Amino acid sequence: MKRIAQTIRLRPERRREYLELHSAVWPGVEDALHRSNIRDYSIFLHGDVLFAYLEYHGDDFEADMAALEADPETQEWWKLTDPCQEPWPDRGDARQWTELTEIWHLSPPGDDATA
């Protein structure tokens, strides 16, 4: 399992639109995320900063992300959501969101990651 955290800015003038879209995410978009082995996906908001957390439970991340990006309904969804977002200038090769580096994780009790 791969944990992924991402961030992007929310354009203040598009805040209401973005929140309305996410109050009822299209079922086809959710299905595409599930097919791409994405689990426990959450988006949080602080001021005008969006933070996303998700878990990837597949075996071929690149192939699953390519399938997600090729999904027609997801592409239509992004046509609505992308204009609401303002990417950070240092996002690198990322399509929109900047991926964050995990620096610490609390493992379950008794889970010795060093063994």
Side-chain angles (χ1 to χ4, degrees):
M1 189 265 298
K2 177 179 180 174
R3 289 181 298 276
I4 299 169
Q6 302 172 315
T7 185
I8 197 166
R9 291 177 286 194
L10 178 61
R11 296 183 191 278
E13 68 275 12
R14 306 293 292 266
R15 180 186 187 99
R16 176 176 284 156
E17 177 183 356
Y18 190 82
L19 295 177
E20 286 176 9
L21 285 166
H22 283 84
S23 71
V25 176
W26 299 348
V29 170
E30 291 181 344
D31 290 343
L33 290 164
H34 286 132
R35 284 192 308 273
S36 294
N37 296 301
I38 304 272
R39 304 290 181 270
D40 294 319
Y41 189 3
S42 298
I43 299 175
F44 302 87
L45 177 63
H46 178 71
D48 293 330
V49 176
L50 295 167
F51 169 81
Y53 172 82
L54 59 100
E55 295 176 355
Y56 174 72
H57 288 263
D59 296 321
D60 189 342
F61 182 76
E62 298 303 322
D64 283 336
M65 294 307 100
L68 180 64
E69 290 176 4
D71 178 68
E73 193 162 356
T74 299
Q75 291 175 1
E76 291 301 311
W77 175 258
W78 287 342
K79 286 179 185 176
L80 299 174
T81 60
D82 284 1
C84 299
Q85 303 165 343
E86 183 179 353
W88 298 105
D90 63 349
R91 75 178 182 269
D93 295 334
R95 194 187 71 75
Q96 276 286 99
W97 292 65
T98 298
E99 192 166 323
L100 303 175
T101 302
E102 182 176 324
I103 61 166
W104 181 77
H105 173 76
L106 177 64
S107 296
D111 185 11
D112 185 4
T114 61

